[in-house]
Amino acid sequence: MRDLVAGMRYLGKGQRWVAQHGRWWGFGLIPALIALVLYIGVLTVLALWSGDIAAWATPFADDWGSPWQGLLRGVFVALLFAGGLMLSVLTFTAVTLLIGDPFYESLSEKVEESEGNCPPSPDRPLWQEIWIALRDSVHVLLRAAGFGILLFVLGFVPFLGQTVIPAIGFCVSGFFLAVELTSVAMQRRDIPVRERLRLLRGRKALAVGFGTPIVLLFLIPFIAVVLMPGAVAGATLLVRDLVPDEQEPSAPQRGEQAAGQEGAAAPYGQPGAPGGYGPPPASFPPNQGPPQAPPSPRPQSGPGSSAARPPAGW
């Protein structure tokens, strides 16, 4: 429950950030407006040609009399347009992120700079960044489509199909929308899409709490355009907490590091070192060192003590 509320807070934090940085909010609107114009054009064409598509898809109703032919094809047109509208809602984010990859990359980077410790972007050309974003979006959409088909079939179950299944559908859509929105900051950290899915599956409530409200708000016309920059900013803040930049070494790793330092203290091949040829050094009582050998007399080569000059043969 705590993660669910935290995900909602990240959405609010992102909207608050763009509200405090109005220039970046306007900058982030550009890709969403371009995508909106494209979707309006596609839906307009679909509405104009939906009658012809219905007649082509139902040739068996050509000989039906009135009102059954018109009723069947009217239902077909309504379902066709509703399906196109739902598909538009599900794919709008992916298409907008694909169109606005340079825009949202700059916006996400600015958010991280304002928070401190912005990780450097991978040194790749723009076309390669767009190709990776397209490939990852297709991967996520195919997974979402698999869940969508399953939920569609379960929707025919009496009672559950009209109550529980739609709620689960919104949560599933919210999870995958969170995956799409966090891809900008994740790609900067060079995290592959499968690892992104694993990270967010480990914090499902956080992803659902962030993405599901956006799915519901995106159902309102034109709201998706207004909220898109803040959604990217909020997803960036979420990634900063989900994927820490510096991780402490685990206990086994610290033990291996300590062992490596101890092994480095004695050169390889010396007694007591790994691979040494002699026995380990003997242990002595506390506060006592090894027994001192009596000093051997050195012949004097001239006046003065031997301490004042190096020994012969040095």
Side-chain angles (χ1 to χ4, degrees), residues 8-314:
M8 298 178 185
R9 287 177 179 169
Y10 279 117
L11 178 59
K13 289 179 181 178
Q15 301 301 328
R16 185 164 57 249
W17 191 93
V18 295
Q20 295 171 354
H21 302 77
R23 186 171 67 88
W24 285 98
W25 176 74
F27 184 75
L29 284 179
I30 297 175
L33 288 172
I34 295 173
L36 179 64
V37 171
L38 291 176
Y39 273 91
I40 289 177
V42 171
L43 290 174
T44 301
V45 171
L46 181 62
L48 293 175
W49 289 85
S50 59
D52 295 335
I53 296 174
W56 170 81
T58 58
F60 55 87
D62 290 341
D63 299 330
W64 290 14
S66 180
W68 306 114
Q69 185 190 74
L71 182 61
L72 173 67
R73 291 180 174 173
V75 170
F76 184 91
V77 168
L79 291 175
L80 180 65
F81 192 79
L85 188 61
M86 182 58 67
L87 185 63
S88 300
V89 172
L90 293 176
T91 59
F92 179 83
T93 301
V95 173
T96 303
L97 290 174
L98 186 62
I99 294 173
D101 185 78
F103 293 85
Y104 292 129
E105 174 63 31
S106 300
L107 172 61
S108 177
E109 186 173 351
K110 186 64 178 179
V111 172
E112 300 220 47
E113 287 177 355
S114 68
E115 296 294 318
N117 194 21
C118 176
S121 301
D123 187 14
R124 287 192 291 256
L126 178 60
W127 68 266
Q128 191 173 2
E129 292 284 345
I130 295 176
W131 165 248
I132 293 174
L134 176 61
R135 183 192 62 193
D136 293 349
S137 295
V138 171
H139 181 86
V140 174
L141 287 174
L142 288 176
R143 285 177 173 262
F147 280 96
I149 294 172
L150 176 62
L151 292 172
F152 177 78
V153 173
L154 293 176
F156 292 99
V157 177
F159 183 71
L160 292 179
Q162 293 75 42
T163 54
V164 178
I165 299 303
I168 295 176
F170 280 116
C171 292
V172 171
S173 299
F175 174 83
F176 284 107
L177 184 61
V179 174
E180 286 285 354
L181 289 170
T182 55
S183 64
V184 179
M186 292 277 198
Q187 190 171 332
R188 182 184 305 109
R189 289 163 172 80
D190 211 13
I191 300 176
V193 63
R194 297 180 187 274
E195 180 67 13
R196 299 173 205 169
L197 288 165
R198 188 192 65 80
L199 288 170
L200 290 171
R201 277 199 303 266
R203 302 283 298 276
K204 289 188 185 73
L206 183 67
V208 170
F210 177 75
T212 303
I214 302 177
V215 171
L216 296 173
L217 290 171
F218 277 15
L219 294 175
I220 304 173
F222 305 107
I223 290 294
V225 178
V226 177
L227 296 183
M228 193 65 186
V232 173
T236 302
L237 296 173
L238 186 150
V239 170
R240 286 178 63 86
D241 290 345
L242 184 65
V243 185
D245 294 327
E246 296 181 1
Q247 298 180 353
E248 291 291 332
S250 60
Q253 290 174 341
R254 287 196 295 267
E256 292 175 2
Q257 292 175 359
Q261 292 174 356
E262 292 176 359
Y268 185 86
Q270 296 297 325
Y277 50 77
S283 60
F284 302 100
N287 301 325
Q288 294 186 15
Q292 300 292 330
S296 59
R298 292 188 176 92
Q300 299 293 328
S301 59
S305 64
S306 61
R309 62 178 64 247
W314 181 73

